[in-house]
Amino acid sequence: MRGTALALSLALLCACSPRLAPSPSAVPPLEQIHHDPARDAQLSLLREAHRAFAQERYPAAALFFRRFVDTTAAGALRVAEARWWLGRSYEQMGEYRAATAEYRMLATGDAAGDAQASLYQQQALQRLDQLRQVPGGLPAPATRQVALALPLSRLPPVPVWVAWLQALLKIGVTTVLLDPGDTDRDAERSPEPIQTFIGAAHLAGLSVWGAVDPYQGGGLVLRPEWLSRSPAMNGDTLPRAPDPAHPDYQAVLEARALQLLRAGCDGIFLKAREAQGYAHNFTDGSFRQFSSAFGFALTPQQLFGEPAGGETMIYDRESTYWRWVGWKARSYATLAARIRKSMRDVSPAGRLVLEAHGRTVSEPLFGLEQYGEDLNDLFQRSGGDLAIRADETAGPLLLGQLAQQVGTSDRLWLIRSLSVPDAMPVIEWTEGLGAVSRERGDGNVVLLPRRTGGIP
């Protein structure tokens, strides 16, 4: 039933859109619609992909070409064509690594005597050679990307989705960052609401990321042993927030990210820690791992507080403490790298974005201790993007500083918080985002609406 609905939706989109001339490099024109529903749906999908590319709606074009490639048998007619234009779409979006991956797959594939496929293979080889010869590395992104963050519970009613998504496209939004963590835990077991929205967003030409909060565990069933405590609690073992360094909890976070990808998300957004004090939070499981990694035989009380019973601390407390701080930060970076590695099997072109604090850019030691953020290690180890929280005045300066550190700006995002009146519905305040989304058009931005009384 869902496949039939998709076919009908694509056919309607194709019928309602203006007729465009075929792309100059797409060799023969697309086949006419026939009476095979599955084949007709695929041809409509390819038509809509070419139309989106011609209209410079590159995220939409990438989604449509990607779906055609993923749902068509390897070696089938038009797959080489779709993969070539998928690579071109990624280039226009500044996704040069993803574009290169598509060109390589095309160039090393089997043309099976298909003259058209052979032509696209030659073009892919030429493009790979051109990209390798670009002085100073790959060019800067051609298109600014804008993501709008929104909790799943705050989506507009289903009947207005089409109009709302079209309104987002008109104001320059390319991605919806969907946070399912504020819903009840049934969302963890049933991804149906998320899948339904993702299907509508993809048809409109928008990509969707799924948010995962390692520091709060929203939407997850948390076990007591994953919950951290602090020496400041004076021996009280009341649980606090989950500890991302706990190995079993890390496995659950990885599974959650893969669940969102299998539901159709085009990327994963790992949220940053809200409160300071990350280095002073621990679980027995994570502390045992740390002690074992360095061959220590010590307790949290020995490291963080006065030794029990007057016992002498046999290690240099300060150096041991900073080893602990670095170990915790590295543990989080390793988690991000594991998620990115798993993503390649489910969604090779999927994007991993890691949220971090602006103060970590200007004060790395503070960010390392208080938030567990080692930005260079996160960036290099995970292969993901960095989204920086910063105020409007300092944000661009911090991004420039970070770009110099990591050597690129195309994988950096600035998070902008927006105040939203408590009583205003989502569909209404969306209309006022146009001017904001177009400000400072020289970098990627995540728009984070916050209601007057808190997060929407």
Side-chain angles (χ1 to χ4, degrees):
M1 181 68 71
R2 185 173 297 168
T4 303
L6 174 60
L8 291 173
S9 299
L10 289 169
L12 285 172
L13 280 171
C14 208
C16 296
S17 300
R19 187 174 182 84
L20 297 177
S23 298
S25 300
V27 197
L30 288 171
E31 301 175 34
Q32 297 299 315
I33 298 295
H34 294 80
H35 298 293
D36 180 348
R39 186 183 182 191
D40 292 350
Q42 290 300 91
L43 292 175
S44 297
L45 184 59
L46 194 53
R47 269 204 184 93
E48 192 60 32
H50 278 297
R51 180 175 288 111
F53 189 95
Q55 295 172 345
E56 300 183 359
R57 295 186 293 120
Y58 301 118
L63 283 171
F64 293 144
F65 284 125
R66 174 88 267 165
R67 186 159 299 190
F68 183 90
V69 169
D70 290 344
T71 57
T72 306
L77 196 63
R78 306 270 180 211
V79 171
E81 173 189 338
R83 195 176 291 281
W84 165 259
W85 287 105
L86 175 59
R88 297 295 289 169
S89 300
Y90 283 144
E91 279 197 71
Q92 293 297 326
M93 296 164 59
E95 297 285 344
Y96 299 106
R97 289 176 180 81
T100 299
E102 297 303 327
Y103 295 146
R104 283 175 178 161
M105 292 182 68
L106 178 55
T108 57
D110 184 7
D114 185 338
Q116 181 180 346
S118 297
L119 176 59
Y120 281 114
Q121 283 187 331
Q122 294 173 16
Q123 290 179 324
L125 285 169
Q126 293 173 4
R127 190 60 187 147
L128 284 170
D129 188 56
Q130 291 167 356
L131 290 175
R132 281 194 295 267
Q133 297 179 36
V134 173
L138 293 172
T143 304
R144 185 193 194 209
Q145 299 180 68
V146 178
L148 174 64
L150 200 67
L152 179 62
S153 63
R154 291 292 302 167
L155 286 178
V158 175
V160 301
W161 277 3
V162 172
W164 179 61
L165 292 169
Q166 290 295 329
L168 292 181
L169 282 172
K170 289 180 181 178
I171 63 174
V173 172
T174 59
T175 301
V176 176
L177 169 54
L178 197 62
D179 186 357
D182 68 326
T183 59
D184 58 38
R185 293 191 178 108
D186 288 340
E188 180 188 0
R189 295 182 287 272
S190 174
E192 187 69 25
I194 299 173
Q195 289 175 329
T196 302
F197 175 76
I198 291 173
H202 282 177
L203 282 173
L206 286 160
S207 59
V208 180
W209 301 341
V212 176
D213 190 342
Y215 299 98
Q216 295 296 325
L220 297 174
V221 179
L222 301 176
R223 301 179 63 176
E225 60 267 29
W226 302 343
L227 302 174
S228 62
R229 62 182 192 270
S230 166
M233 302 173 76
N234 297 321
D236 194 341
T237 58
L238 289 175
R240 299 187 66 181
D243 180 9
H246 193 288
D248 294 340
Y249 179 53
Q250 287 190 346
V252 170
L253 290 171
E254 184 179 358
R256 177 58 167 164
L258 293 181
Q259 181 190 44
L260 290 171
L261 290 169
R262 293 190 179 103
C265 285
D266 307 288
I268 297 298
F269 186 94
L270 292 183
K271 299 175 72 172
R273 178 183 170 91
E274 294 290 341
Q276 297 179 16
Y278 180 61
H280 286 81
N281 291 157
F282 63 90
T283 57
D284 292 337
S286 62
F287 200 85
R288 279 196 302 269
Q289 266 204 329
F290 162 71
S291 299
S292 176
F294 289 94
F296 293 151
L298 74 162
T299 66
Q301 290 74 22
Q302 288 176 310
L303 181 61
F304 296 113
E306 292 298 325
E311 182 182 353
T312 303
M313 176 72 174
I314 61 175
Y315 308 103
D316 182 284
R317 177 170 292 160
E318 183 174 358
S319 64
T320 305
Y321 170 76
W322 284 108
R323 282 188 177 183
W324 160 254
V325 172
W327 179 87
K328 283 206 74 178
R330 172 59 61 89
S331 178
Y332 178 61
T334 302
L335 167 65
R338 280 175 49 190
I339 291 176
R340 183 69 186 95
K341 183 178 179 181
S342 299
M343 287 175 65
R344 293 191 183 101
D345 297 329
V346 179
S347 178
R351 186 192 291 269
L352 177 66
V353 184
L354 302 105
E355 184 183 22
H357 294 80
R359 191 169 176 182
T360 305
V361 180
S362 56
E363 301 179 54
L365 199 61
F366 178 89
L368 182 70
E369 182 180 19
Q370 299 301 328
Y371 300 117
E373 297 170 351
D374 183 338
L375 298 185
N376 282 288
D377 196 37
L378 279 173
F379 186 81
Q380 300 297 335
R381 186 173 291 269
S382 71
D385 295 10
L386 294 176
I388 305 300
R389 287 188 188 182
D391 60 55
E392 296 184 23
T393 57
L397 295 176
L398 290 176
L399 283 190
Q401 180 181 342
L402 184 57
Q404 291 182 349
Q405 294 176 22
V406 300
T408 183
S409 60
D410 64 327
R411 288 165 53 196
L412 302 181
W413 298 69
L414 178 62
I415 297 177
R416 293 198 58 191
S417 293
L418 308 173
S419 298
V420 178
D422 286 326
M424 183 177 291
V426 173
I427 193 69
E428 293 184 19
W429 58 254
T430 298
E431 299 174 359
L433 293 179
V436 179
S437 67
R438 295 186 179 95
E439 290 179 6
R440 299 191 180 98
D442 56 349
N444 303 322
V445 64
V446 178
L447 303 178
L448 181 62
R450 296 184 182 276
R451 301 179 77 86
T452 305
I455 297 177

